[in-house]
Amino acid sequence: MELPAVDQCCGFGGTFSVKNPETSTAMLADKVQNVMSTKAEACTAGDNSCLMHIGGGLSRLQSGTRTVHLAEILASTEQEVFA
C-alpha cells in the first residue's frame, strides 16, 4: 500500500538533519506516524539513508515495523524475472 503523504521527505537528506535537527526530527515524526498508520509489517524505499532514518524512528518507538530496501525485496523473490 502507498504511504500517506508519500511525497513528503523524512528530513534526513544530506547535511539537513545536522544543520536543522529540530526540523529534521519533526519531519521524521510525521513520516513515522504515517508509516505506523498503515499498520504495515515493513516499510520500503530505494534510499538507504531514508530507511536508516525512518528505521531509527520506528525502532525507538518499538513499533514492530521494519525497514527493507527495495533491492532486498527484489533479491528475495524466488521467481526468475528474466527467465
Side-chain angles (χ1 to χ4, degrees):
M1 74 180 64
E2 188 170 56
L3 189 64
V6 69
D7 61 331
Q8 293 179 4
C9 177
C10 72
F12 192 71
T15 60
F16 183 85
S17 64
V18 175
K19 292 181 177 183
N20 305 285
E22 296 83 13
T23 304
S24 175
T25 301
M27 292 170 75
L28 175 63
D30 290 344
K31 183 63 79 175
V32 166
Q33 183 58 44
N34 286 333
V35 171
M36 291 174 52
S37 75
T38 68
K39 300 189 183 336
E41 293 179 19
C43 172
T44 189
D47 184 280
N48 279 327
S49 61
C50 293
L51 288 173
M52 182 179 66
H53 193 49
I54 296 166
L58 291 168
S59 177
R60 283 188 292 281
L61 294 173
Q62 300 178 345
S63 70
T65 303
R66 60 189 177 96
T67 54
V68 184
H69 193 280
L70 180 58
E72 292 178 84
I73 294 170
L74 294 174
S76 71
T77 61
E78 293 180 5
Q79 183 180 23
E80 291 187 39
V81 177
F82 298 105

